Amino acid sequence: MINRDWQAEWIWGDGESSPRNEWRCFRKSFDVPEESAGTGSLRITADSRYVLFLNGTQLGRGPVRSWPFELSYDTYEVGHLLRPGKKNTISVLVLHFGVSNFYYIRGRGGLLIELAYEDGTIAAQSDATWRTSRHLGQHPRASRMSCQQGYSEYIDASAWDGEWMAENYDDSSWNNAIVLGQVGMEPWTGLKPRDIPMLTNEAVYPVRVEELAKVRTFSLSTAIDVRNALVTGSEEHANTLQFTGYIATIIRASEEGKATIGFLTSFECMRSFSLNGVEAAADCYYGEAPERYVDIELREGDNFLLIDVSGGVHTGKLQMGLYADDPVQLSFISPLSALSEHSAFCRIGPFDHVMPLDHQENRPLDWENPLYKELMRLVRKPEDLAGYKEWLQPIDEKYVAEADVFSLCVWRKENMKLAVPLQLQNAVVPNIHAGIVPVFDGYDTELVVDFGKEYSGYLSFEVEAAEGTILDWYGFEYMADHYRQDMYGLDHTLRYVCKSGRQSYESPIRRGFRYMALNVRNAAEPVRIYGVSMSQSNYPVAEIGRFECSDSLLNDIWEISRHTTKLCMEDTFVDCPAYEQAFWVGDSRNEALVSIYLYGVQDIVKRCLRLVPGSKHQTPLFADQVPSGWSSVIPNWTFFWAIACYEYYEQTGDKDFAAEMYEQIHYTLDHYLLKIDGSGLFNIKGWNLLDWSPIDQPNDGIVTHQNMFLVRTLRIAAAMGRLSGDEAGSSRFEHAAEQLHTAINEHLWDDEKQAYIDCIHADSRRSSVLSMQTQVVASLTGVAQGKRGEAMERYLIAPPAHFVQIGSPFMSFFYYEALGKIGKVGLMLDDIRANYGNMIAHGATTCWEQYPNFLENRANPDMLTRSHCHAWSSAPAYFLGRDVLGVRSLAPGWSKVEIAPAPNGLQWARGSVPHPAGGRIDVSWTADEVNQTMKLSVAYPEGLQLQIKIPEGYTAEIKETILQQP
């Protein structure tokens, strides 16, 4: 941990210490002496994220995600940008979340920055002389993106000078910064230097305007953060909440008439509602889940709306829209005008709330509170609220979005598709010509641009428009044959209110999408689009790994696996670039193996592994995503982390790192072993997940696949102990593994069915479910041996139809590992062609989170999958290189490598695999299946021991080329 040598102080502006969704700008001008030309190093960190400029040039974004007690800082060499003998200006935009999410734990707003010359002289440092202002063009009331992330974006270009970061900008109206304290203060008690390179910044452009339409949508909309509005203190964490309570408002209508009310994510925060004292009947709703709509009658003047928002929530956002034909004008008005002049909504409750943690005992939510149960029936008008004064409170306006842009982009009263004029394609072509967006009286105009495949980064655009024109941008992942899969649970929107004339904007918020819909509203004249682009940002990698073969389908599958993996390499591995952008610990084990075969980078793997033990302050079992405000435990994810630590040693031969991680593995396994029950089995309350499928994996009890993976983890710990010189600890873990192995085979095998059952429930009830998942893990971990092992092999080769089948590509990774272990590469290829080929057939450019044969984690049956880009699904890029091309390591650090091609009907294959010590291994082979002959060419770096294994029955002509080290 490095806290020394900082002269800079933490600074912020006035107001709240941790404001909700605040963008704050900082500036400092300073003179650079002539003799300091060409030197300069700048260090910076911030809470929560920053964008850094020097003399108007953007240098970078940061910091990388980290725990607040070891906050990461970045270092930039800036000598080439300094102007000797002149005034120089540092400008920083700091985005403070003000709420915990899945990649950030709430701290407080703060900036720490320091620029020093080569001789150590400080040129500029954060202190009270810095100038600061809130970004007045950014609306902090934009709605939350999701529970995993921060906020959507709402920008008014007329309210803020977009050139505020330029060196000649006049900041005299700004205030001086407020000094918070010295380095080492709470909550940032420790600082450490960034441990990975800066991410890429690559411009990519759309390939075409996909659609054009004139549309009508809601007349009035909002999104309310019910979670934070109802439960005090819920900003401090990202745990799930359960509560009972209501929200009330008045819909004011300029005249009576028919209307439509819609709730776009009804799986949270909308159990039922009443209008003017009449509760909506259960059969009056229509729309495809999770959307729910009701046609209503509004009377002129005030209409009282009461919504039951009770239930379990994570994001806890109520998204609501209202539509009425012209000339009816609608607005939300407070039912508590005597108490609040500003808030249009009030809350009644919560009458009860609980915060259930999956790894702890929790009390159930009280649904029987008589006040809660009677309220919908008794409260029929605003005056009736007086009987609930104890539970009544206006909702702070900061929790109420000015508009729900997501709802406005998704729901359509009218949607008239139009042919796309050729000139409009100029909007996506990087040239000097503009694409002109037509304007239709009484309608909004929507165009959809296609980037050709998914990307992850920062949206930019340049337009010319009249002042007040609204540009609502909405990113999503998938459409086909005019079916658009809207991304429920993720608000990837950006509202940009134009100033007059030509203007450009680059968003500081990361988004992942393939398609970008633009809805032009309130336009007095056509909008001219001069460009739309994305700054693709990922961990910097070279395209070292390659694979091609005689099967074009496998080539396409390898390519989408490669691209998916790259998009999910940010400052850590992430599950997906769109929905979550979260570092899920278990996912990253598989992602690391894939990335090794594609890119060969190690720093990101080491960084991910080191982050995990930081969660021990949340639970000694270690959390399943880090650093995160959600204290959640998936035991398998901790086991996969431990396995990944050993696999990192196998990749690199780094014994020091193995010893470092062994200490942490030892710590958490000591706590896991406390969960061994009287029968000798691992019995735990947690999120006992392995696959998105209907296997029997209860969150309390003995789950077979977890017990099996724990056996594997204990054996890994024993191996790590031997590497670390802890023979006693190694023996203890080996003994625990053997005992658990024995108990599994004694209690979890069904002799009549000749298979392992899925679980034993907390009430001692034995599962009646048999699943492929459990049998795969039994084979892979070596728990099934002898005749039971033979039975597992039969199931791997021919999965019984009555077993629950594999439901996600993540689980397929383990299935392919098991098939590779028994030499059934042909079956692996058949499965890849079938399941990943289905993705290709549906136009996939990245790998899906799920297979479409199960409904879990999907909003409705029409969705093929939730996430269309998920790195836990990139298995083919690993197995095609390892098992088909035939390149695999046989010793730590890849000091010994085997080349074992597996044609399985392929006529040829060629490719490259990175070597962790540098260089790469190039393999090319052709196979004549009829004559059982093969030509094999291998090039590899000197110093490694090569072992070539020709397929049984084949003869081969072999050419080896040894590449000298430079």
Side-chain angles (χ1 to χ4, degrees):
M1 201 62 57
I2 298 179
N3 287 330
R4 64 182 184 277
D5 299 330
W6 284 86
Q7 296 185 37
E9 300 171 296
W10 281 99
I11 60 173
W12 194 243
D14 56 4
E16 294 181 61
S17 63
S18 181
R20 181 183 179 88
N21 189 28
E22 180 167 295
W23 293 13
R24 180 161 286 278
C25 304
F26 294 86
R27 288 173 52 88
K28 174 67 177 179
S29 295
F30 58 99
D31 294 322
V32 176
E34 292 284 355
E35 60 271 20
S36 296
T39 70
S41 179
L42 185 151
R43 297 188 292 178
I44 181 174
T45 191
D47 190 331
S48 308
R49 299 292 186 263
Y50 72 79
V51 185
L52 170 66
F53 304 86
L54 178 58
N55 294 327
T57 298
Q58 182 175 312
L59 290 182
R61 305 177 180 93
V64 295
R65 70 190 77 198
S66 49
W67 298 102
F69 48 80
E70 51 180 22
L71 188 66
S72 177
Y73 66 85
D74 298 327
T75 301
Y76 298 86
E77 296 305 319
V78 297
H80 63 294
L81 293 174
L82 294 175
R83 299 172 180 174
K86 298 180 180 179
K87 182 180 75 171
N88 289 250
T89 302
I90 302 171
S91 306
V92 186
L93 172 65
V94 178
L95 287 68
H96 182 71
F97 297 139
V99 61
S100 293
N101 58 40
F102 282 23
Y103 48 64
Y104 166 79
I105 294 176
R106 190 185 193 194
R108 60 148 301 147
L111 170 66
L112 182 72
I113 184 170
E114 184 176 279
L115 193 158
Y117 300 127
E118 191 173 34
D119 64 1
T121 303
I122 301 297
Q125 65 191 45
S126 48
D127 56 25
T129 66
W130 280 60
R131 307 290 284 171
T132 185
S133 171
R134 191 177 70 78
H135 188 305
L136 300 179
Q138 180 259 345
H139 290 223
R141 288 171 59 195
S143 67
R144 280 289 297 275
M145 277 187 175
S146 65
C147 58
Q148 295 90 351
Q149 302 193 54
Y151 299 85
S152 61
E153 194 169 356
Y154 191 149
I155 299 295
D156 185 346
S158 297
W160 190 245
D161 188 344
E163 298 301 314
W164 66 270
M165 71 289 293
E167 61 267 38
N168 58 355
Y169 176 81
D170 181 7
D171 60 16
S172 59
S173 63
W174 293 19
N175 296 323
N176 279 16
I178 296 172
V179 172
L180 304 179
Q182 303 295 316
V183 168
M185 66 172 287
E186 293 280 355
W188 318 289
T189 52
L191 295 179
K192 62 186 296 187
R194 183 186 184 107
D195 49 7
I196 57 170
M198 296 293 176
L199 305 187
T200 61
N201 192 25
E202 173 191 359
V204 294
Y205 299 90
V207 297
R208 70 175 182 178
V209 176
E210 185 72 23
E211 287 186 350
L212 176 68
K214 58 180 187 178
V215 300
R216 281 183 180 160
T217 186
F218 291 122
S219 315
L220 179 67
S221 69
T222 191
I224 304 173
D225 187 340
V226 176
R227 169 197 170 96
N228 291 162
L230 262 69
V231 182
T232 302
S234 56
E235 292 96 339
E236 301 297 332
H237 60 81
N239 297 320
T240 56
L241 289 174
Q242 297 174 2
F243 50 74
T244 53
Y246 295 84
I247 282 179
T249 189
I250 290 172
I251 303 169
R252 180 162 290 171
S254 61
E255 54 186 89
E256 67 177 17
K258 296 181 183 298
T260 298
I261 186 169
F263 304 94
L264 269 83
T265 50
S266 61
F267 45 76
E268 284 197 339
C269 299
M270 212 299 283
R271 288 173 61 84
S272 62
F273 77 92
S274 67
L275 183 67
N276 295 324
V278 179
E279 185 172 2
D283 61 357
C284 72
Y285 296 95
Y286 61 91
E288 186 176 79
E291 301 172 45
R292 284 198 286 177
Y293 303 100
V294 180
D295 293 327
I296 57 176
E297 294 278 348
L298 293 177
R299 59 196 183 197
E300 182 179 353
D302 292 352
N303 298 264
F304 180 61
L305 178 66
L306 181 67
I307 305 172
D308 185 345
V309 294
S310 307
V313 304
H314 223 146
T315 306
K317 180 170 66 173
L318 173 66
Q319 295 178 270
M320 177 171 59
L322 284 160
Y323 175 84
D325 288 325
D326 292 337
V328 179
Q329 301 297 310
L330 303 174
S331 58
F332 292 122
I333 304 296
S334 173
L336 302 177
S337 55
L339 297 179
S340 171
E341 297 180 359
H342 304 292
S343 177
F345 295 84
C346 69
R347 76 181 208 197
I348 310 100
F351 299 99
D352 187 32
H353 73 274
V354 295
M355 185 179 71
L357 296 179
D358 50 38
H359 53 92
Q360 295 183 12
E361 294 298 325
N362 305 289
R363 72 168 178 85
L365 182 70
D366 179 13
W367 289 94
E368 299 304 317
N369 183 295
L371 291 175
Y372 163 70
K373 294 180 70 175
E374 73 181 10
L375 195 142
M376 181 71 80
R377 178 174 56 86
L378 296 182
V379 175
R380 305 172 66 84
K381 55 187 182 299
E383 293 77 11
D384 296 335
L385 293 172
Y388 299 86
K389 287 183 178 179
E390 180 184 350
W391 305 96
L392 192 59
Q393 198 171 81
I395 292 178
D396 193 313
E397 194 175 51
K398 68 183 179 181
Y399 298 125
V400 182
E402 295 153 279
D404 183 28
V405 179
F406 177 87
S407 295
L408 294 173
C409 292
V410 170
W411 185 78
R412 295 286 180 257
K413 177 65 174 180
E414 294 184 55
N415 188 7
M416 301 175 63
K417 302 293 185 183
L418 305 171
V420 180
L422 184 59
Q423 66 79 23
L424 186 54
Q425 299 293 350
N426 284 318
V428 302
V429 178
N431 64 11
I432 65 171
H433 303 292
I436 303 173
V437 181
V439 174
F440 305 101
D441 186 38
Y443 291 86
D444 300 328
T445 304
E446 180 182 69
L447 65 151
V448 177
V449 299
D450 178 9
F451 277 76
K453 55 185 176 181
E454 186 148 344
Y455 290 100
S456 175
Y458 305 91
L459 178 70
S460 297
F461 53 86
E462 183 176 1
V463 300
E464 185 175 354
E467 183 169 358
T469 302
I470 295 173
L471 306 181
D472 281 346
W473 302 85
Y474 163 46
F476 58 96
E477 291 185 305
Y478 184 74
M479 64 186 301
D481 300 325
H482 303 291
Y483 163 74
R484 185 168 86 184
Q485 181 176 315
D486 289 307
M487 300 183 70
Y488 308 107
L490 175 65
D491 187 342
H492 253 357
T493 64
L494 187 169
R495 167 161 285 192
Y496 181 86
V497 183
C498 298
K499 61 184 179 181
S500 179
R502 192 156 170 171
Q503 55 211 281
S504 60
Y505 182 72
E506 180 180 57
S507 171
I509 294 176
R510 176 186 284 274
R511 294 175 177 85
F513 57 86
R514 173 177 173 175
Y515 298 95
M516 179 60 68
L518 168 60
N519 282 262
V520 178
R521 314 189 201 279
N522 197 37
E525 59 190 48
V527 173
R528 304 173 70 88
I529 302 179
Y530 286 90
V532 180
S533 64
M534 164 79 89
S535 178
Q536 166 63 31
S537 177
N538 53 263
Y539 184 93
V541 292
E543 306 285 352
I544 300 172
R546 292 186 179 175
F547 177 84
E548 275 186 293
C549 71
S550 56
D551 185 336
S552 61
L553 178 59
L554 291 178
N555 296 339
D556 289 343
I557 291 169
W558 183 89
E559 173 55 28
I560 68 170
S561 302
R562 180 203 64 79
H563 187 58
T564 301
T565 303
K566 186 175 182 178
L567 292 191
C568 296
M569 295 171 70
E570 298 178 11
D571 55 356
T572 60
F573 292 110
V574 297
D575 62 330
C576 55
Y579 278 95
E580 301 187 30
Q581 300 176 20
F583 168 38
W584 285 91
V585 173
D587 303 28
S588 71
R589 178 262 171 175
N590 295 2
E591 293 171 39
L593 291 177
V594 176
S595 74
I596 290 296
Y597 269 72
L598 290 171
Y599 306 118
V601 291
Q602 306 295 340
D603 287 351
I604 186 173
V605 181
K606 183 181 287 189
R607 171 163 216 278
C608 289
L609 296 175
R610 280 180 166 155
L611 274 173
V612 176
S615 65
K616 66 174 62 175
H617 74 282
Q618 295 171 323
T619 167
L621 305 176
F622 293 175
D624 47 37
Q625 17 75 57
V626 297
S628 173
W630 184 20
S631 177
S632 173
V633 173
I634 304 176
N636 277 334
W637 269 225
T638 303
F639 303 157
F640 298 157
W641 164 77
I643 292 169
C645 288
Y646 186 70
E647 288 171 338
Y648 180 86
Y649 162 72
E650 291 183 311
Q651 293 291 333
T652 63
D654 187 342
K655 286 188 176 182
D656 291 339
F657 184 75
E660 176 189 340
M661 289 296 100
Y662 171 67
E663 181 180 348
Q664 305 297 339
I665 292 169
H666 194 302
Y667 170 84
T668 193
L669 284 183
D670 282 347
H671 290 85
Y672 272 99
L673 288 174
L674 296 175
K675 306 295 183 180
I676 301 294
D677 67 12
S679 67
L681 292 170
F682 176 57
N683 190 335
I684 192 171
K685 180 177 174 56
W687 185 6
N688 299 331
L689 174 70
L690 179 60
D691 189 20
W692 295 125
S693 62
I695 61 178
D696 201 353
Q697 47 186 9
N699 291 336
D700 192 3
I702 297 165
V703 176
T704 306
H705 59 66
Q706 283 187 168
N707 275 262
M708 293 169 171
F709 274 125
L710 180 53
V711 170
R712 172 67 176 148
T713 305
L714 289 166
R715 288 175 175 152
I716 286 290
M720 297 279 275
R722 289 189 292 271
L723 287 171
S724 305
D726 181 10
E727 293 298 332
S730 177
S731 296
R732 186 169 72 88
F733 287 131
E734 195 67 62
H735 179 64
E738 288 304 316
Q739 286 187 310
L740 182 56
H741 185 163
T742 300
I744 292 169
N745 278 290
E746 180 180 351
H747 298 291
L748 298 174
W749 172 261
D750 188 313
D751 203 47
E752 179 183 349
K753 297 177 180 177
Q754 287 294 290
Y756 292 94
I757 62 172
D758 273 359
C759 71
I760 299 175
H761 290 266
D763 61 5
S764 300
R765 176 172 50 88
R766 290 174 64 84
S767 172
S768 61
V769 175
L770 300 178
S771 69
M772 278 301 298
Q773 290 82 350
T774 297
Q775 318 314 314
V776 165
V777 178
S779 177
L780 183 62
T781 58
V783 168
Q785 296 180 347
K787 291 188 179 299
R788 294 182 184 180
E790 293 171 4
M792 296 304 102
E793 288 193 20
R794 291 194 298 272
Y795 299 150
L796 294 178
I797 293 168
H802 65 285
F803 283 16
V804 174
Q805 301 300 302
I806 290 171
S808 69
F810 178 66
M811 185 63 217
S812 290
F813 195 106
F814 303 106
Y815 179 46
Y816 299 159
E817 280 188 289
L819 287 174
K821 185 178 175 183
I822 64 173
K824 297 298 181 180
V825 177
L827 292 177
M828 180 197 303
L829 293 180
D830 290 343
D831 192 88
I832 288 173
R833 289 186 182 103
N835 284 307
Y836 287 83
N838 187 34
M839 300 180 197
I840 297 292
H842 284 89
T845 62
T846 44
C847 300
W848 301 350
E849 178 184 11
Q850 301 156 281
Y851 298 137
N853 48 334
F854 293 116
L855 292 182
E856 289 198 35
N857 205 26
R858 287 155 57 195
N860 61 65
D862 291 331
M863 293 173 60
L864 296 170
T865 178
R866 183 190 70 143
S867 165
H868 280 261
C869 182
H870 231 73
W872 80 352
S873 305
S874 299
Y878 173 66
F879 290 101
L880 291 173
R882 192 191 75 156
D883 291 299
V884 176
L885 199 62
V887 183
R888 68 175 71 200
S889 172
L890 297 178
W894 287 58
S895 57
K896 184 178 181 181
V897 174
E898 178 183 76
I899 309 296
N904 289 282
L906 297 175
Q907 288 77 52
W908 58 269
R910 58 176 172 261
S912 303
V913 174
H915 190 277
R920 66 177 190 262
I921 302 165
D922 295 331
V923 176
S924 175
W925 55 256
T926 60
D928 183 339
E929 191 171 22
V930 175
N931 297 309
Q932 298 278 281
T933 60
M934 171 175 281
K935 290 184 179 181
L936 174 65
S937 176
V938 184
Y940 56 95
E942 66 178 345
L944 68 84
Q945 181 181 348
L946 191 72
Q947 176 179 303
I948 294 177
K949 182 180 179 182
I950 300 301
E952 186 176 352
Y954 277 72
T955 59
E957 177 184 325
I958 300 172
K959 178 183 177 182
E960 293 186 40
T961 303
I962 300 175
L963 304 174
Q964 295 184 350
Q965 299 288 354

